[in-house]
Amino acid sequence: MRTLKLFTVLLFSVLALNVSAQQKKYVMVIHGGAGTILKKNMTPEKEAAYIAVLTQALQAGYEKIKSGKTSLDAVEATIHVMENDPHFNAGKGAVFTHDGKNELDAAIMDGKTLMAGAVAGVTTVKNPISAARAVMEKSEHVMMVGAGADLFAKDAGLEIVDPKYYWTKERWDGLQQAIKEDSTKAVLDHGSKKSELLGSKNHDYKFGTVGCVALDKAGNLAAGTSTGGMTNKKYGRVGDAPIIGSGTYCNNETAGVSCTGWGEFYIRNVVAKTISDLMEYKGLSVAVASKMALDKVGKMGGDGGLIALDKKGNIAMPFNTEGMYRGAITADGKIEVNIYK
Ligand code: ASP
């Protein structure tokens, strides 16, 4: 009798656990960059500002999903909020190249059709994520770079800005500091353990690349990433964000992924597509696949993080840095936002 009672209690607990796990269906996950982000270096005001804008970004995309719009619309709307906010290294507030310019990269991918669009090294588009979407939807190409990409965005009717628009004092000071320390090394905008090991003392841990993955009511996934790249990068350097399969990838059959961190390591490890492949060919969960791919980056000496969302609404947000600006929202609108480990 007692065994039966115990068995019943156990059965109910397992069922309850399953129900609560199923109830947590996420429809969106975002990041605002990973790096040496420590609570001790943060003021309460700054922390509140980050939480506010991450929340606002999630709400912007959630509104789209709730009203039946596509996951692509949600990703674009969410990333616009972060590109327009100087707290992040994307759009306004982007980091500077060694030559004191802003060269922006972005990509977007549709998990339903596997169509993708990307721009690299653009210098006049207010919202590079929209330029990436225009490449996907209004051209037969996947990627455009430099002046051609800027011209294409203008012809597509997107908002064009004077390059001064991206300028912020903090990013400019970050460049001067990086040049003073070692004029040849690119550093993550928010600082990184590994860049410290390479000799950089640049601890500008306030900003970050931005990314978003969304799942719409029709069950379609989309992923996007937008960035200014790395402070003090050489002219023409392109990071992982706009490279489909490295910093950005999306497939309804597996997951949508957006990465942040030391781009060269993400390119060499083809991180985003590796996660999708581990899920597709090995049957791994989004959490296990994401961790495995990031571990590889770490073993090679790279640092950063990523976000991923699968078609069932499961998320993963691993990072091997001190912190990562990140957040997610469930189908019923519950928002979670985190910064530190
Ligand atoms: N991954 C970006 C790049 O290498 C930088 C970042 O995520 O902060 O361009």
Side-chain angles (χ1 to χ4, degrees), residues 89 188-190 209 227 229-230 237 239-240 259-264:
N89 170 23
L188 276 177
D189 54 302
H190 29 256
T209 289
T227 185
M230 290 171 79
R237 179 263 187 188
D240 59 314
C259 303
T260 174
W262 196 338
E264 279 69 9

Side-chain angles (χ1 to χ4, degrees), residues 62-74:
Y62 185 71
E63 282 307 313
K64 298 281 178 199
I65 288 168
K66 222 174 69 182
S67 63
K69 296 262 167 49
T70 65
S71 47
L72 285 168
D73 291 334

Side-chain angles (χ1 to χ4, degrees), residues 32-38 41-43 46-47 49-50 53 85-89 93 95 169-171 173-174 188-191 202-209 325 339:
T36 314
I37 309 163
L38 293 166
N41 297 319
M42 191 75 88
T43 63
K46 246 180 222 157
E47 195 179 274
Y50 276 109
V53 64
D85 188 297
H87 286 93
F88 300 103
N89 170 23
V95 299
K169 185 176 180 319
E170 291 195 67
R171 310 312 319 140
D173 291 349
L188 276 177
D189 54 302
H190 29 256
N202 183 10
H203 295 174
D204 188 5
Y205 20 63
K206 302 177 202 71
F207 301 77
T209 289
Y325 299 108
I339 298 177

Side-chain angles (χ1 to χ4, degrees), residues 213-243:
V213 187
L215 173 63
D216 62 27
K217 283 187 175 166
N220 293 318
L221 288 163
T225 314
S226 181
T227 185
M230 290 171 79
T231 300
N232 203 25
K233 65 185 182 181
K234 283 201 173 44
Y235 38 70
R237 179 263 187 188
V238 175
D240 59 314
I243 297 180

Side-chain angles (χ1 to χ4, degrees), residues 28-32 46-63 74 77-79 81-82 85 87-88 212 325-330 333-339:
M28 230 167 63
V29 57
I30 62 171
H31 71 75
K46 246 180 222 157
E47 195 179 274
Y50 276 109
I51 289 171
V53 64
L54 289 167
T55 304
Q56 198 194 329
L58 283 166
Q59 277 161 345
Y62 185 71
E63 282 307 313
T78 299
I79 291 186
V81 172
M82 294 192 279
D85 188 297
H87 286 93
F88 300 103
C212 174
Y325 299 108
R326 61 199 187 278
I329 187 163
T330 58
K334 195 176 160 292
I335 287 180
E336 293 164 24
V337 171
N338 283 296
I339 298 177

